[in-house]
Structure formats: structure tokens, C-alpha cells
Amino acid sequence: MRKNIVAGNWKMNYNIEQTQQLINDLKTSLERVTYSARVLVAPTFVNLSAAVSSTKGTSIEVAAQNVHQAESGAYTGEISADMLQSVGVKTVIIGHSERRTYFEEDDTLLKEKVKTALAKGMEIIFCFGEQLDERKSGNHFSVVESQLKNVLFDLDVNQWKQLVLAYEPVWAIGTGETASPAQAQEMHAFIRNLISKAYGEVVGNSISILYGGSVKPANAEEIFSKADVDGGLIGGASLKSADFTAIVTASKS
Ligand code: 13P
């Protein structure tokens, strides 16, 4: 059966001292509670190596927030999948709405990033989700469908084992407004059904689909309790160990 996952996307927050501090706090607080979800944290690139060292021997995994589509070369300022793997990072977030909006990452580019990261053997947390106007106009299902189809539906069935999906409605990211548990469930079931139709029920039922967008300790349990919600991708609330730990313990067992 599919795995529940709670991942913290730390975005462009925290220097090295703060990163070490948060990891130490998390190690302590997660040791005191019971949970069965996979737990990942995604610090900024410069702190990945330190994060991998300080989480060694714990159940906390470290992910990157982005990766370049080329294997190597003259791409000043960019980071390759090999570089991430060489510091012990096995998972990468691709397609976050902030990358789509501020760095103009479109489906064509994301497809290249996915292809490269998969070929390098990395696990991908692939993010997508509709804008507010797209939900208001009732187009949210077709937007999500094309985001998935344009980037992922050419993949080989075996490559889906390396994928985790994160549905993050853009209007819920950092706004304090979440999709209701019913809205999240409705979209997650739609996504799973799309995948089952394209790749078969085994793949559809095995893929973890996370919800992201203003998940907090107060709303996590209700959202995670929904049948097709397999955990969360957490922004703001992942920056405080007590809040993130509470969200981890709210995940289904
Ligand atoms: P918030 O939890 O701060 O809304 O961010 C969600 C997110 O973007 C995770 O990737």
C-alpha cells in the first residue's frame, strides 16, 4: 500500500545555524512521538550537505527544492542531479508553484527536469495546482489534468515508482486559506483516477498524493484523514519544530 509522507519545504529560509538548530529540535521532538509517515525536510541548496550529515542515523530524509535539467555544463548558478546525489540527497521537489510563477518554469521545462532527475535515479515530489481564478471559473480539474498529462503521462510505468505527487492549489499557498478537506479529497480522488486510467489501478493505488497549502497543526488531521490524501507538503508550519512535529503525528498510520 502507498506510503504516507510529510515533507517540509523550507523555501528560502534559514541560514546554516538556524538550519542546524531546526534539525536538532526536530530530531528531539520526533523522538518523543509515534508516527509512521516518511518525514522529509527540504532546506536550501547550500545547507543540504550539512542537513544530510546531521540527519544521518535518524528517520528524517533530506530533499532538494529544485534541480537543473541538464546533466552538467555552462549553466552558471545551477545545480545538477549528480551534485545533489553526491551530497546524499535522493529526493527533489520539481514544479513548485513559486518556481512556475517567479522563474517561469513551464510544462516543457518541467518535463525535462523530471526526465533528467528520473534518469539519475532520484525520487521526485512533483507539484502542481490551480490558480484562484481557475478554481473560481470551475476549470481546476482541467488545469490539473493538463499539468499532469503534459509532464508525466509519457513516462514509462516503472518510472512512476520514483514519483510522489503534491497537489498545491496556488490560492492556498502561504495565504492561511486551505482547501477544505472535502475539496482536497475531491481533487486527490480525481488525480488518482486519472493515473489509474492511464497506468492501471496498481499504479494509481500506489502513488502517494500529498496536499500542500496552509497546512497547520489545527487542520492537518482532518485533511490527512481523507482517503486519497497521503500526507502533506508543508511550507510555513515546517519552519517550527513543534508545529511540524504535530503535523507529522497527524498523518495516517
Ligand atoms: P504553506 O504551507 O506556507 O502554505 O506552503 C505550502 C507550500 O508551498 C509547500 O511547498
Side-chain angles (χ1 to χ4, degrees):
M1 205 43 194
R2 56 186 180 262
K3 190 76 188 155
N4 289 298
I5 300 172
V6 178
N9 176 7
W10 293 356
K11 307 190 179 182
M12 197 175 75
N13 292 293
Y14 291 167
N15 63 24
I16 185 66
E17 284 88 23
Q18 294 163 321
T19 297
Q20 296 282 20
Q21 184 66 54
L22 179 52
I23 288 173
N24 288 338
D25 291 348
L26 267 180
K27 285 200 280 196
T28 310
S29 61
L30 286 172
E31 263 170 26
R32 294 199 189 115
V33 294
T34 320
Y35 60 95
S36 61
R38 274 178 71 194
V39 174
L40 293 98
V41 296
T44 187
F45 284 130
V46 289
N47 295 329
L48 285 173
S49 186
V52 169
S53 302
S54 34
T55 53
K56 216 164 231 141
T58 76
S59 57
I60 304 170
E61 300 169 56
V62 176
Q65 297 173 20
N66 184 27
V67 66
H68 195 264
Q69 63 276 19
E71 280 199 31
S72 64
Y75 300 101
T76 301
E78 292 294 328
I79 311 278
S80 72
D82 279 343
M83 291 168 186
L84 295 176
Q85 287 179 309
S86 72
V87 297
V89 173
K90 301 187 177 89
T91 303
V92 60
I93 297 170
I94 293 179
H96 194 278
S97 78
E98 287 145 19
R99 304 264 353 143
R100 293 175 190 257
T101 304
Y102 304 133
F103 304 96
E104 295 174 4
E105 296 194 357
D106 61 10
D107 290 347
T108 309
L109 176 71
L110 295 174
K111 195 169 174 173
E112 283 181 56
K113 290 192 177 211
V114 165
K115 199 172 144 208
T116 304
L118 288 178
K120 291 290 173 182
M122 296 196 79
E123 176 184 58
I124 294 170
I125 300 177
F126 183 72
C127 305
F128 53 91
E130 81 282 359
Q131 308 274 344
L132 183 59
D133 59 331
E134 293 165 336
R135 177 160 284 265
K136 281 191 170 157
S137 59
N139 291 325
H140 44 298
F141 292 115
S142 61
V143 167
V144 162
E145 181 167 355
S146 61
Q147 286 173 323
L148 290 173
K149 286 194 167 163
N150 291 347
V151 180
L152 302 179
F153 277 36
D154 282 348
L155 295 176
D156 188 79
V157 64
N158 288 321
Q159 294 177 300
W160 279 75
K161 295 192 184 98
Q162 289 166 253
L163 290 179
V164 171
L165 302 182
Y167 168 59
E168 300 202 303
V170 179
W171 48 272
I173 295 177
T175 58
E177 190 179 342
T178 55
S180 69
Q183 285 173 321
Q185 168 57 25
E186 184 184 34
M187 183 58 88
H188 283 224
F190 171 78
I191 294 161
R192 200 177 301 287
N193 187 43
L194 277 181
I195 297 163
S196 294
K197 272 201 236 150
Y199 286 94
E201 299 235 324
V202 173
V203 178
N205 287 328
S206 322
I207 184 95
S208 297
I209 309 176
L210 315 185
Y211 168 80
S214 297
V215 177
K216 307 278 181 246
N219 59 26
E221 192 168 352
E222 205 188 342
I223 297 172
F224 294 168
S225 72
K226 294 295 174 192
D228 289 294
V229 179
D230 308 312
L233 183 56
I234 320 301
S238 70
L239 295 169
K240 291 189 188 138
S241 69
D243 286 359
F244 190 61
T245 301
I247 293 169
V248 169
T249 57
S251 63
K252 283 195 285 270
S253 54

